[in-house]
Short mmCIF file of all heavy atoms in Angstrom, two decimals:
data_model
loop_
_atom_site.label_atom_id
_atom_site.label_comp_id
_atom_site.label_asym_id
_atom_site.label_seq_id
_atom_site.Cartn_x
_atom_site.Cartn_y
_atom_site.Cartn_z
N LEU N 160 -1.12 20.79 -10.62
CA LEU N 160 -2.54 20.98 -10.84
C LEU N 160 -3.28 19.72 -10.88
O LEU N 160 -4.31 19.54 -10.24
CB LEU N 160 -2.73 21.79 -12.16
CG LEU N 160 -4.18 22.16 -12.42
CD1 LEU N 160 -4.29 23.57 -13.01
CD2 LEU N 160 -4.79 21.17 -13.49
N LEU N 161 -2.78 18.71 -11.50
CA LEU N 161 -3.39 17.38 -11.68
C LEU N 161 -3.62 16.78 -10.28
O LEU N 161 -4.69 16.36 -9.94
CB LEU N 161 -2.52 16.50 -12.59
CG LEU N 161 -2.96 15.02 -12.60
CD1 LEU N 161 -4.33 14.86 -13.29
CD2 LEU N 161 -1.90 14.23 -13.31
N GLU N 162 -2.51 16.75 -9.53
CA GLU N 162 -2.57 16.10 -8.13
C GLU N 162 -3.49 16.89 -7.26
O GLU N 162 -4.25 16.33 -6.44
CB GLU N 162 -1.24 15.94 -7.59
CG GLU N 162 -0.38 14.87 -8.27
CD GLU N 162 -0.79 13.49 -8.01
OE1 GLU N 162 -1.56 13.19 -6.93
OE2 GLU N 162 -0.34 12.58 -8.76
N MET N 163 -3.46 18.24 -7.33
CA MET N 163 -4.26 19.03 -6.47
C MET N 163 -5.79 18.74 -6.71
O MET N 163 -6.52 18.57 -5.71
CB MET N 163 -3.99 20.54 -6.77
CG MET N 163 -4.99 21.52 -6.12
SD MET N 163 -5.13 21.44 -4.34
CE MET N 163 -3.81 22.53 -3.91
N TYR N 164 -6.16 18.69 -7.94
CA TYR N 164 -7.63 18.49 -8.17
C TYR N 164 -8.04 16.99 -8.10
O TYR N 164 -9.24 16.81 -7.83
CB TYR N 164 -8.02 19.15 -9.55
CG TYR N 164 -8.03 20.63 -9.24
CD1 TYR N 164 -6.88 21.45 -9.48
CD2 TYR N 164 -9.03 21.26 -8.60
CE1 TYR N 164 -6.84 22.79 -9.28
CE2 TYR N 164 -8.98 22.64 -8.28
CZ TYR N 164 -7.89 23.38 -8.57
OH TYR N 164 -7.86 24.70 -8.26
N ALA N 165 -7.14 16.12 -8.23
CA ALA N 165 -7.46 14.67 -7.90
C ALA N 165 -7.79 14.63 -6.39
O ALA N 165 -8.70 14.02 -5.94
CB ALA N 165 -6.29 13.76 -8.26
N TRP N 166 -6.87 15.26 -5.59
CA TRP N 166 -7.09 15.34 -4.12
C TRP N 166 -8.37 16.13 -3.76
O TRP N 166 -9.13 15.69 -2.96
CB TRP N 166 -5.89 16.01 -3.51
CG TRP N 166 -6.05 16.30 -2.04
CD1 TRP N 166 -5.89 15.46 -0.95
CD2 TRP N 166 -6.51 17.51 -1.45
NE1 TRP N 166 -6.11 16.08 0.23
CE2 TRP N 166 -6.59 17.35 -0.11
CE3 TRP N 166 -6.90 18.73 -1.95
CZ2 TRP N 166 -6.95 18.40 0.83
CZ3 TRP N 166 -7.34 19.73 -1.14
CH2 TRP N 166 -7.38 19.65 0.23
N HIS N 167 -8.61 17.24 -4.45
CA HIS N 167 -9.69 18.08 -4.12
C HIS N 167 -11.03 17.45 -4.25
O HIS N 167 -11.83 17.59 -3.29
CB HIS N 167 -9.62 19.38 -5.02
CG HIS N 167 -10.55 20.43 -4.57
ND1 HIS N 167 -11.75 20.63 -5.23
CD2 HIS N 167 -10.46 21.35 -3.66
CE1 HIS N 167 -12.36 21.67 -4.66
NE2 HIS N 167 -11.59 22.12 -3.68
N GLY N 168 -11.24 16.61 -5.27
CA GLY N 168 -12.48 15.88 -5.41
C GLY N 168 -12.71 14.88 -4.28
O GLY N 168 -13.81 14.82 -3.69
N ARG N 169 -11.67 14.11 -3.93
CA ARG N 169 -11.72 13.12 -2.91
C ARG N 169 -11.98 13.80 -1.59
O ARG N 169 -12.75 13.37 -0.70
CB ARG N 169 -10.44 12.31 -2.86
CG ARG N 169 -10.30 11.39 -4.08
CD ARG N 169 -9.14 10.40 -3.81
NE ARG N 169 -7.90 11.03 -3.48
CZ ARG N 169 -6.91 11.33 -4.39
NH1 ARG N 169 -6.97 10.90 -5.69
NH2 ARG N 169 -5.72 11.92 -4.05
N HIS N 170 -11.19 14.94 -1.33
CA HIS N 170 -11.30 15.73 -0.13
C HIS N 170 -12.73 16.16 0.22
O HIS N 170 -13.29 15.89 1.38
CB HIS N 170 -10.39 16.90 -0.27
CG HIS N 170 -10.52 18.02 0.72
ND1 HIS N 170 -10.11 17.96 2.03
CD2 HIS N 170 -10.93 19.29 0.61
CE1 HIS N 170 -10.30 19.11 2.62
NE2 HIS N 170 -10.85 19.93 1.77
N HIS N 171 -13.39 16.76 -0.74
CA HIS N 171 -14.82 17.20 -0.51
C HIS N 171 -15.83 16.10 -0.52
O HIS N 171 -16.76 16.20 0.32
CB HIS N 171 -15.17 18.32 -1.47
CG HIS N 171 -14.48 19.61 -1.10
ND1 HIS N 171 -14.65 20.25 0.06
CD2 HIS N 171 -13.60 20.41 -1.86
CE1 HIS N 171 -13.89 21.41 0.10
NE2 HIS N 171 -13.24 21.43 -1.02
N ALA N 172 -15.67 15.10 -1.20
CA ALA N 172 -16.56 13.93 -1.13
C ALA N 172 -16.42 13.27 0.22
O ALA N 172 -17.43 12.94 0.88
CB ALA N 172 -16.27 12.87 -2.24
N ALA N 173 -15.25 13.27 0.76
CA ALA N 173 -15.01 12.80 2.12
C ALA N 173 -15.61 13.71 3.17
O ALA N 173 -15.99 13.22 4.24
CB ALA N 173 -13.47 12.54 2.38
N HIS N 174 -15.65 14.96 2.96
CA HIS N 174 -16.35 15.78 3.98
C HIS N 174 -17.80 15.30 4.13
O HIS N 174 -18.28 15.22 5.28
CB HIS N 174 -16.40 17.30 3.46
CG HIS N 174 -15.18 18.08 3.65
ND1 HIS N 174 -14.74 19.01 2.84
CD2 HIS N 174 -14.27 17.98 4.66
CE1 HIS N 174 -13.67 19.50 3.27
NE2 HIS N 174 -13.36 18.96 4.39
N ILE N 175 -18.44 14.99 3.05
CA ILE N 175 -19.86 14.59 3.04
C ILE N 175 -19.94 13.21 3.62
O ILE N 175 -20.83 12.88 4.44
CB ILE N 175 -20.44 14.73 1.69
CG1 ILE N 175 -20.46 16.27 1.25
CG2 ILE N 175 -21.91 14.22 1.69
CD1 ILE N 175 -20.65 16.40 -0.23
N THR N 176 -19.14 12.24 3.15
CA THR N 176 -19.31 10.87 3.62
C THR N 176 -18.90 10.72 5.09
O THR N 176 -19.52 9.95 5.79
CB THR N 176 -18.48 9.90 2.78
OG1 THR N 176 -17.05 10.29 2.78
CG2 THR N 176 -18.98 9.85 1.33
#
Side-chain angles (χ1 to χ4, degrees):
L160 182 139
L161 173 67
E162 290 288 342
M163 167 61 84
Y164 287 94
W166 170 86
H167 191 260
R169 291 188 306 258
H170 165 72
H171 285 300
H174 279 147
I175 299 165
T176 57

